[in-house]
Amino acid sequence: MAGQQFQYDDSGNTFFYFLTSFVGLIVIPATYYLWPRDQNAEQLRLKSLRRVHGRCLWYRLRLMKSQQSVVPTLKKAALLLGWALFIFLAYKVSTLDREYQEYNPWEVLNLDQSASVAEIKKQFRVLSLKFHPDKGGDEAMFMRITKAYKALTDEDARQIWENYGNPDGPGATRFGIALPGWIVDQKNSMLVLLVYGLAFMVILPVVVGTWWYRSIRYSGDQILINTTQLFMHFMYKTPNMNMKRLGMVLTAAFEFDPRSNKEAIIRPTDNVEVPQLIRELGSIINVKKKEPPFCYPYSLKARVLLLAQLARMDVSEDLEEDQRFVVRKCPALLQEMINVGCQLTMMANSRGGFHAPRLVSIENCMKLSQMSVQGLQEAKSPLLQLPHFEEEHLRYCISKKYKVRTLQDLVSLKDSDRRNMLRFLGEEKYDEVMGVLSSLPHITMETKLQVLDDEDSSNITAGSIVTVTVTLTRKKMCEVFEKEQVAPALPEDAAAAEESQADAGKNKVKGWQNKSKVTKKAAKAKKKKLTKKKPLPQQQAKGDKPKQANGNVAGNDVAVKEEDEEASDKGSESDEGEGNKDTPSEREEESDKQSDAEMDQMGGDDEQEWKALQQSIQRRERALLETKSKVTHPVYSLYFPEEKQEWWWLYITDRRDQTLVSMPYHVCTLRDTEEVELKFPAPSKTGNYQYSVVLRSDSYMGLDQIKPLKLEVHEAKAMLDNHPQWDIPDTEEEEEPDDSDGIEESEEEEEDND
């Protein structure tokens, strides 16, 4: 009876199969994910950015890191070693002898399959004499010869061999365990048990526990949970947070505490160098603040290094490394602080009971992000973001002749004026400045206000959910201003329109003028135009006296009035004549045609709205499914130690109440064009509201934009309580008309008509 047999691999052949598969499962995925990417591509990318970003700190650090790093070489060596081991094991497996072969009695007797029974008997007699145990032969070999002879000569044994592959019939199924036999040997039992216990009871729990306890300390954005709680406490405590207080809260984050983050370092030289920096900073920093955690050494050091970065002060090599660490963490921490402020705002709007953070607090976080990336204080000019610009050079820009205070003013200047203003720069420096300036972003915003999932999407009612679709388009600053400077010549119609606008501007009421005087002047100007434009009639009536060429204005006005009256009489007569021509049937046909045309137009508008709604739904579904890269455009920053991408904040505010209307949306995927939907509930009271759509950069100063948004809120439609569809009769039989009565009534009506 067939059974099962399990046995360890004493020869070790099966173990090689297992080991080859195990090494292959590790080496192949590791090569795909860990093999260093093409270094030439990175070098080419850095080379293409050299013209614009060559002076940036992050660019110089990246070049030094790529030249000094040995990590790619170690990765390649480890992976090549793994592949060498895999190839060796595969070769070893291919050369192993097959332990289990198919039973073939012809091979045992050294005969061809075409041999006859006589030849089989003869060969058996020869081999049995040779291997018989009584003759001093091999007993095992003799047993194999006898078994093969029976399989070829005995009909029953031959049939069993042909059916089961063995003359003995179906045997036990053998399973080999791909582990060598010495593992279960009694001599090695203690050693094997010790290794198993160490691997699965000590090492594995320690690794999993360490990973788990480290991961639960961080949020999804890799910010310490304790830091988030710290930000929430101080933003709740200080809703109106100025820039100085904000810097103190930011540098109190636990990311800068060596007890919570091993990357933060407290050096013995800090006791000498940090007080020296405090004296150089002066009154900017508040050292006497005893409120924890602002008075802790790690918080004070981080605050000093951040303020030194904003003041562009030189520090020692040790402090410079710590300063880069602090500045590198600032954008992510400020983004977390903005998220905390938005959460508190939503809680205050929904629950009430406490004051939400003011708009100025959240916007100060955004400004501080710009300042930390560019290494500038809040009151400094945005022109200092450009290379080779120093404080003493700003007097040339803000002079009365040029009045250049922003980056946009500098770009919009004519090239000759700009060269004359920047004559303190050489030709090479001027070209570098213009290369950086032309690469800066210029964003255009297009807003669309609507109420989705409503019959009339343009009608905003009290309490409805308003959706503002903002389309952002990024272009280089040079492209935009070149198009504005090279504007085409205006045609005659446009020139005439401009003249009429200029005339209207002249007649516009000024603050110091009286409205009645202005209206009188406008009326006189109209009369003069009429007298000039209206020509006198060449042929006069017989009873009229000829008028003089230098007739007065009153006579001309009378003539003009008479002609106007005649024209109006003629128009009324023609209208009456046309009205008499039309019969009532023709009028009905025309009205029907007009109504049909209006219905067709309404149907076309409905189809367009339906198509637009379907497109917006499809666009949202695609946005949910596809994952866009957050690599947009590298930021030009002279003092930021890490390559940063251009990201933006987009939100809606009420400037009058200084509150957030919609939560800030962090736009991280704007390469060329991006569409963002901002939603907020409409006010509960009807009326006109003035909001602002704000776009702020998290990296550049002076590129923020504010676009007004007018909102007209109407009263919501009242719900109908007595709608006909809710009038359900008590008994349907009472209201259902009798069919026979209806037929009789119709027949009587037909007879009456006849």
Side-chain angles (χ1 to χ4, degrees):
M1 184 176 177
Q4 296 179 349
Q5 291 183 1
F6 293 90
Q7 61 182 11
Y8 286 92
D9 182 18
D10 295 332
S11 61
N13 294 342
T14 313
F15 179 68
F16 280 108
Y17 285 96
F18 165 76
L19 195 59
T20 305
S21 304
F22 181 76
V23 173
L25 288 174
I26 294 177
V27 170
I28 295 174
T31 304
Y32 179 78
Y33 289 105
L34 299 179
W35 185 265
R37 297 296 181 253
D38 190 5
Q39 298 295 322
N40 295 328
E42 180 66 16
Q43 293 295 333
L44 290 174
R45 190 183 77 88
L46 292 176
K47 189 175 181 181
S48 64
L49 297 175
R50 183 176 181 180
R51 178 177 174 272
V52 176
H53 301 272
R55 290 187 176 273
C56 295
L57 176 61
W58 69 263
Y59 186 87
R60 291 183 275 116
L61 293 176
R62 179 68 61 84
L63 286 179
M64 293 172 58
K65 185 178 179 181
S66 61
Q67 293 173 359
Q68 299 176 358
S69 178
V70 295
V71 175
T73 305
L74 294 177
K75 286 183 178 179
K76 287 182 179 180
L79 291 173
L80 289 175
L81 185 62
W83 275 103
L85 179 61
F86 178 72
I87 293 172
F88 169 75
L89 292 173
Y91 174 76
K92 183 73 175 176
V93 167
S94 64
T95 57
L96 291 176
D97 295 333
R98 295 181 60 188
E99 184 175 353
Y100 306 104
Q101 297 180 352
E102 184 180 358
Y103 181 75
N104 190 351
W106 302 101
E107 293 181 359
V108 176
L109 295 176
N110 296 327
L111 291 173
D112 297 330
Q113 294 184 3
S114 60
S116 61
V117 178
E119 293 176 348
I120 294 172
K121 291 180 179 180
K122 182 179 179 181
Q123 183 68 12
F124 172 69
R125 191 179 301 110
V126 172
L127 293 176
S128 62
L129 292 174
K130 181 178 180 181
F131 294 102
H132 198 282
D134 296 340
K135 303 291 184 179
D138 188 1
E139 184 177 0
M141 188 62 187
F142 180 76
M143 295 298 293
R144 291 179 60 194
I145 294 170
T146 306
K147 183 177 178 180
Y149 175 72
K150 289 182 179 180
L152 294 177
T153 55
D154 190 356
E155 293 296 333
D156 295 335
R158 188 183 184 95
Q159 188 175 2
I160 293 173
W161 167 61
E162 291 176 353
N163 292 334
Y164 300 104
N166 197 319
D168 298 333
T173 304
R174 301 176 63 189
F175 295 94
I177 300 176
L179 291 175
W182 58 266
I183 289 182
V184 294
D185 193 355
Q186 189 176 2
K187 298 178 181 178
N188 305 323
S189 59
M190 293 301 296
L191 179 61
V192 173
L193 185 62
L194 180 63
V195 171
Y196 270 86
L198 186 64
F200 293 101
M201 298 180 66
V202 178
I203 297 177
L204 185 61
V206 167
V207 171
V208 174
T210 304
W211 169 80
W212 173 251
Y213 285 112
R214 284 184 179 178
S215 61
I216 61 174
R217 295 171 58 235
Y218 292 88
S219 64
D221 297 328
Q222 296 302 308
I223 303 296
L224 287 170
I225 302 294
N226 293 336
T227 299
T228 304
Q229 294 173 352
L230 176 76
F231 290 164
M232 186 166 290
H233 169 74
F234 282 106
M235 292 201 80
Y236 174 79
K237 183 180 179 181
T238 315
N240 195 359
M241 193 178 295
N242 58 18
M243 192 65 72
K244 190 172 183 179
R245 177 78 173 180
L246 180 63
M248 296 173 68
V249 174
L250 173 65
T251 52
F254 287 93
E255 273 76 4
F256 306 131
D257 188 357
R259 295 172 296 179
S260 302
N261 189 4
K262 293 182 179 179
E263 296 181 17
I265 301 174
I266 296 294
R267 305 176 188 274
T269 56
D270 293 345
N271 297 327
V272 178
E273 295 177 346
V274 172
Q276 184 179 354
L277 276 177
I278 292 174
R279 288 191 295 270
E280 293 178 5
L281 288 170
S283 60
I284 300 177
I285 185 169
N286 187 6
V287 187
K288 297 180 180 180
K289 192 75 174 178
K290 300 302 180 182
E291 182 183 2
F294 306 138
C295 59
Y296 294 162
Y298 82 89
S299 177
L300 182 62
K301 178 183 177 181
R303 186 159 73 251
V304 168
L305 294 178
L306 178 60
L307 293 175
Q309 166 79 3
L310 301 183
R312 295 187 175 182
M313 295 173 56
D314 294 331
V315 296
S316 62
E317 293 184 1
D318 293 338
L319 286 181
E320 186 178 9
E321 184 178 351
D322 298 340
Q323 186 184 46
R324 291 172 185 172
F325 167 73
V326 171
V327 174
R328 195 184 301 117
K329 292 284 184 181
C330 283
L333 292 173
L334 288 167
Q335 175 61 34
E336 183 68 16
M337 198 177 294
I338 293 172
N339 295 338
V340 168
C342 295
Q343 292 175 11
L344 291 175
T345 302
M346 290 188 290
M347 291 170 61
N349 294 337
S350 60
R351 301 180 185 176
F354 62 91
H355 296 289
R358 302 292 292 172
L359 177 62
V360 65
S361 301
I362 296 176
E363 289 188 337
N364 280 340
C365 295
M366 300 177 183
K367 292 178 183 178
L368 187 55
S369 177
Q370 301 172 359
M371 294 159 54
S372 63
V373 172
Q374 295 297 332
L376 282 176
Q377 296 174 350
E378 184 180 10
K380 297 297 182 180
S381 172
L383 297 175
L384 295 176
Q385 299 174 105
L386 300 174
H388 310 297
F389 266 78
E390 302 294 340
E391 289 282 352
E392 59 268 15
H393 298 150
L394 296 178
R395 59 189 179 90
Y396 299 106
C397 301
I398 61 176
S399 62
K400 294 182 179 180
K401 183 177 180 181
Y402 301 109
K403 297 180 181 179
V404 174
R405 298 182 181 277
T406 63
L407 298 170
Q408 292 84 349
D409 295 340
L410 183 59
V411 179
S412 59
L413 277 180
K414 293 181 180 179
D415 187 62
S416 57
D417 295 340
R418 189 165 50 240
R419 285 181 179 273
N420 189 26
M421 185 185 70
L422 302 179
R423 59 185 179 272
F424 59 88
L425 298 173
E427 190 68 24
E428 294 182 0
K429 292 183 178 179
Y430 177 81
D431 292 339
E432 185 178 350
V433 169
M434 292 309 301
V436 172
L437 189 62
S438 61
S439 67
L440 295 181
H442 181 84
I443 310 298
T444 56
M445 287 195 299
E446 296 179 3
T447 58
K448 183 180 179 182
L449 195 66
Q450 58 185 345
V451 179
L452 297 178
D453 303 332
D454 199 353
E455 295 179 357
D456 188 4
S457 60
S458 61
N459 184 25
I460 301 173
T461 58
S464 61
I465 301 299
V466 183
T467 301
V468 180
T469 304
V470 185
T471 304
L472 303 175
T473 305
R474 184 201 185 273
K475 293 183 179 179
K476 291 183 178 180
M477 197 172 286
C478 62
E479 298 177 2
V480 178
F481 287 95
E482 281 177 2
K483 291 180 181 178
E484 293 180 357
Q485 290 176 1
V486 188
L490 293 173
E492 295 180 358
D493 297 338
E498 284 192 355
E499 288 180 2
S500 63
Q501 289 178 1
D503 295 338
K506 290 179 182 178
N507 297 329
K508 190 176 180 181
V509 181
K510 296 181 180 179
W512 48 269
Q513 285 182 328
N514 191 0
K515 291 185 179 179
S516 61
K517 292 182 180 180
V518 175
T519 53
K520 290 179 181 178
K521 289 181 181 179
K524 288 181 180 180
K526 285 183 179 179
K527 287 181 180 179
K528 287 181 181 179
K529 287 181 180 178
L530 286 172
T531 55
K532 289 180 181 178
K533 291 181 179 179
K534 196 72 177 179
L536 291 173
Q538 295 178 359
Q539 296 180 356
Q540 298 175 351
K542 292 181 180 179
D544 295 340
K545 294 181 181 180
K547 295 182 180 179
Q548 297 178 358
N550 57 352
N552 55 10
V553 177
N556 292 338
D557 291 340
V558 172
V560 170
K561 288 180 180 179
E562 290 176 355
E563 290 177 0
D564 292 341
E565 290 175 358
E566 290 176 0
S568 63
D569 294 338
K570 290 180 182 178
S572 62
E573 289 175 0
S574 62
D575 293 339
E576 290 176 0
E578 290 176 359
N580 294 329
K581 289 178 183 178
D582 294 336
T583 61
S585 61
E586 291 177 352
R587 291 179 182 176
E588 290 178 359
E589 290 179 359
E590 289 181 359
S591 63
D592 292 340
K593 289 180 180 179
Q594 290 178 359
S595 62
D596 293 340
E598 290 177 357
M599 292 296 293
D600 293 339
Q601 186 176 2
M602 291 174 63
D605 294 341
D606 292 341
E607 290 181 0
Q608 291 179 358
E609 289 182 0
W610 175 253
K611 289 181 180 178
L613 179 61
Q614 292 295 322
Q615 289 176 359
S616 64
I617 292 173
Q618 293 175 1
R619 187 166 55 250
R620 286 181 222 158
E621 291 177 352
R622 286 197 301 268
L624 289 174
L625 294 175
E626 67 177 348
T627 303
K628 292 185 178 180
S629 174
K630 292 187 177 181
V631 178
T632 56
H633 300 273
V635 174
Y636 183 84
S637 175
L638 291 170
Y639 295 94
F640 197 70
E642 190 176 62
E643 182 179 5
K644 191 181 181 310
Q645 303 298 319
E646 289 179 8
W647 293 346
W648 306 82
W649 285 294
L650 184 67
Y651 56 98
I652 302 174
T653 62
D654 187 352
R655 290 287 170 183
R656 188 184 65 179
D657 296 340
Q658 287 294 305
T659 55
L660 277 173
V661 177
S662 73
M663 297 301 109
Y665 181 84
H666 205 192
V667 184
C668 303
T669 57
L670 177 58
R671 291 186 59 86
D672 298 317
T673 304
E674 187 75 15
E675 192 173 273
V676 180
E677 290 185 353
L678 302 176
K679 297 186 179 183
F680 61 93
S684 57
K685 297 181 180 180
T686 60
N688 295 326
Y689 295 86
Q690 294 287 339
Y691 292 155
S692 300
V693 181
V694 185
L695 178 71
R696 288 190 183 275
S697 172
D698 70 342
S699 306
Y700 290 111
M701 298 176 64
L703 298 184
D704 302 338
Q705 296 187 28
I706 299 177
K707 190 171 184 179
L709 182 68
K710 296 181 180 179
L711 194 69
E712 185 177 356
V713 181
H714 303 281
E715 189 175 355
K717 296 179 181 179
M719 297 295 293
L720 296 176
D721 297 334
N722 54 352
H723 197 275
Q725 67 178 356
W726 305 116
D727 296 339
I728 302 174
D730 297 334
T731 58
E732 296 181 357
E733 296 179 356
E734 295 178 358
E735 295 187 358
E736 287 182 355
D738 192 1
D739 295 339
S740 61
D741 295 340
I743 295 171
E744 291 177 358
E745 288 177 0
S746 62
E747 290 178 353
E748 290 177 359
E749 289 177 357
E750 289 177 359
E751 291 177 358
D752 294 338
N753 292 331
D754 294 339

